[in-house]
Structure formats: C-alpha cells, structure tokens
Amino acid sequence: MACLISLEATHADKMSFYLQEANDSGLRIAPPDINLSLVDFSVCDGGIRFGLHGIKNVGLTAIETIIAERDKKGPYEDLYDFCKRVDLRVCNKRVIENLICAGAFDTLAGSRAQQHAELSQIMDKAVAYKRDKATGQMGLFATAEQLAEQNDPHTFAPRAAWGNRETLEKEKEVIGFYLSAHPMDTYRTQLHWFQPSSFEATLQAAQNHRGETEYGATVCGLLKSRKDIVTKKGDRMSFLQIEDGDSTAEVILFPKTFAQVEQWLSNHHVFLI
C-alpha cells in the first residue's frame, strides 16, 4: 500500500483516495516527520509513514537536500537548526511553510502557529549565521553572547496555538487529506445520536429504491464551498459542496430553503441534512 500511495504522491485526489482506503482498512498513517520521513511513503511500526513527496509544493530537490543533510549530520534539533543546515534557496519559505502546516516539525520545539509566525525571523537569523560563518566573522568579531545566540536553539514567543479547525484546514490544504483528525470528530457523540448515512451509502440506496415515494435519508457533512446565485425571478439560492469524510456531494438550496438557513451558513461548518 505504501508503494501504491507513493506512486500517486503528485496526484492529490488519487493519493487522498488511497490514504483513506488505508485508513479504513485499519492501517495507521503516521504523520510526516522531518527527522523520520523519506521521499516516498514507507512502512513503520505496522503502519505507513507519510512521505515528504506527498506534501504540496515540496519538490524532489528540496526533499533530497533535507534527507542528505539529515543522513550526514544527524536529526534536526529545531526549526532554526534546520534553516541553518539546509540550502534555503532550495528549501525556500513556501516549502518550509507547507512542511509546518503538514506537521513535519511537530516533534520539534514550537507549535505550528509559533513556527509559522516566526519563520521569517528564523530564516533571517539562519542566513546571517551562514554569512558570518562563510566570511569568518563569527570568530573574529562576535562576542561570546552573540556566538551563544547564533548557536543556541530558537526560543519562541508565547502565542496561542491554532484552533482545531484552522490546523486541520491548513493540513488538508497542503496534504489533500485530514491526517491528524477530521473536523467532524468533534461531533462524534451527536452523530451517534442521529446515525447519519454516508453519501456513498445514500446514493447506492437511492439508486436501488423501488418504492412509489421518493427516497429520504439523513446525512451529515462539512461545508467545503458555497456558491450563491440569483434566479431569473430575483430569488437567491445556493450550491454547496459538502464532505462527509469519505466523499463529497453537492447540495442545492432552492430559494425557500436558502432563505430559512442562510443565517447559519456563514457561522457554522458542519451540517445535518
């Protein structure tokens, strides 16, 4: 399965499909780790370790640079150590931001919010370190305090961690898959009460329905996108893309229904339908 997922690492939709298949079959998907992940997806502790090539906008050259340095000098100690050691022309800010959002630095110091917010500062400090080291100025002109500051781990300023929803949305954006959790996990107790059907099961049941009345079902999903339009009569309606964790469905809100629920569409993101 790891090989199959690796083959689709540059095709987000297919990769997400196989990741979901692996997850559904009981295989644990370990998150990307800057000190453990390889280029491709690999087997680890009976599960699958997320490969760095599966993270969007993290190119093969950057990954090879990261792994080569790690193999040569050992694990990265923190984000600052990482920036000091890799070629920042290859592992640029966008690459590192996506690694952060994917959780690749979660085992190192700092939350994702701290790492993301202070990345520019850390990169600037790393560039200055490399410049001074290359010109020999570190030993000639730097004070003991300056030398210590350049070599000590970075200390993050206090900052609130991203909320669960923001963390997962950023994760989904760069991986194409909710890896650490799913936004609907928060509502497991409520979902147990209502026992909603999945979109796939509902579609299959509707296709097989032979009764005289229309088939009805209760489903639940996460609002992914919304497109409001105005009809020829001047009434407003909307087209929603709803995701239930396994698949996506389009939900059409005709004018009457739209008028009843519009107030909730902007303030909530999980809906029972």
Side-chain angles (χ1 to χ4, degrees), residues 85-98:
R85 290 167 55 183
V86 301
D87 186 345
L88 293 177
R89 295 168 299 180
V90 176
C91 299
N92 56 37
K93 186 178 181 183
R94 186 181 187 188
V95 167
I96 301 175
E97 283 179 337
N98 282 19

Side-chain angles (χ1 to χ4, degrees), residues 210-247:
R210 295 291 182 267
E212 295 182 1
T213 58
E214 292 185 355
Y215 179 78
T218 299
V219 295
C220 183
L222 179 73
L223 177 62
K224 299 304 298 176
S225 66
R226 165 186 168 188
K227 181 181 179 182
D228 299 344
I229 66 168
V230 178
T231 67
K232 293 180 179 179
K233 294 183 178 180
D235 298 321
R236 297 176 67 221
M237 61 180 291
S238 189
F239 296 85
L240 311 179
Q241 288 291 325
I242 305 287
E243 176 188 280
D244 69 355
D246 296 319
S247 56

Side-chain angles (χ1 to χ4, degrees), residues 197-205 219-222 241-251 271 273:
S197 301
S198 68
F199 293 147
E200 290 184 355
T202 301
L203 176 61
Q204 187 66 43
V219 295
C220 183
L222 179 73
Q241 288 291 325
I242 305 287
E243 176 188 280
D244 69 355
D246 296 319
S247 56
T248 302
E250 182 178 66
V251 175
F271 293 92
I273 304 168

Side-chain angles (χ1 to χ4, degrees), residues 5-257:
I5 298 172
S6 295
L7 289 173
E8 303 296 350
T10 56
H11 302 91
D13 291 342
K14 290 183 179 180
M15 184 185 76
S16 297
F17 172 79
Y18 287 121
L19 283 170
Q20 188 63 55
E21 287 284 302
N23 196 50
D24 291 344
S25 67
L27 281 173
R28 186 178 74 90
I29 310 297
D33 188 315
I34 203 67
N35 283 324
L36 296 174
S37 290
L38 304 178
V39 175
D40 294 324
F41 290 76
S42 55
V43 177
C44 74
D45 300 326
I48 297 174
R49 171 71 65 185
F50 204 98
L52 297 179
H53 204 203
I55 303 173
K56 293 179 182 178
N57 299 314
V58 179
L60 195 56
T61 303
I63 297 170
E64 290 172 344
T65 297
I66 292 168
I67 295 175
E69 174 63 23
R70 187 179 74 195
D71 290 343
K72 183 180 179 181
K73 296 184 179 178
Y76 299 105
E77 295 178 4
D78 68 351
L79 184 55
Y80 175 47
D81 181 55
F82 174 85
C83 290
K84 286 195 299 183
R85 290 167 55 183
V86 301
D87 186 345
L88 293 177
R89 295 168 299 180
V90 176
C91 299
N92 56 37
K93 186 178 181 183
R94 186 181 187 188
V95 167
I96 301 175
E97 283 179 337
N98 282 19
L99 288 168
I100 291 170
C101 292
F105 293 99
D106 280 1
T107 55
L108 305 184
S111 66
R112 295 187 195 183
Q114 289 173 315
Q115 293 168 355
H116 196 276
E118 298 186 30
L119 178 59
S120 293
Q121 175 189 343
I122 292 171
M123 292 181 73
D124 288 344
K125 190 163 68 168
V127 169
Y129 170 87
K130 292 180 180 184
R131 183 182 61 245
D132 291 347
K133 185 178 180 181
T135 58
Q137 293 182 17
M138 288 177 64
L140 291 174
F141 303 107
T143 65
E145 185 178 342
Q146 288 172 327
L147 285 172
E149 183 181 350
Q150 287 183 318
N151 288 290
D152 285 348
H154 179 76
T155 301
F156 289 96
R159 181 179 296 273
W162 289 336
N164 187 58
R165 182 179 179 183
E166 183 176 6
T167 298
L168 294 177
E169 286 301 324
K170 289 181 183 295
E171 196 173 277
K172 176 71 179 291
E173 184 180 338
V174 300
I175 290 179
F177 180 78
Y178 293 116
L179 189 58
S180 56
H182 191 280
M184 289 174 60
D185 290 347
T186 308
Y187 305 96
R188 284 193 181 279
T189 300
Q190 292 87 340
L191 293 178
H192 181 72
W193 296 340
F194 292 103
Q195 294 291 313
S197 301
S198 68
F199 293 147
E200 290 184 355
T202 301
L203 176 61
Q204 187 66 43
Q207 290 173 337
N208 295 332
H209 181 64
R210 295 291 182 267
E212 295 182 1
T213 58
E214 292 185 355
Y215 179 78
T218 299
V219 295
C220 183
L222 179 73
L223 177 62
K224 299 304 298 176
S225 66
R226 165 186 168 188
K227 181 181 179 182
D228 299 344
I229 66 168
V230 178
T231 67
K232 293 180 179 179
K233 294 183 178 180
D235 298 321
R236 297 176 67 221
M237 61 180 291
S238 189
F239 296 85
L240 311 179
Q241 288 291 325
I242 305 287
E243 176 188 280
D244 69 355
D246 296 319
S247 56
T248 302
E250 182 178 66
V251 175
I252 303 174
L253 300 180
F254 291 104
K256 184 178 179 180
T257 304

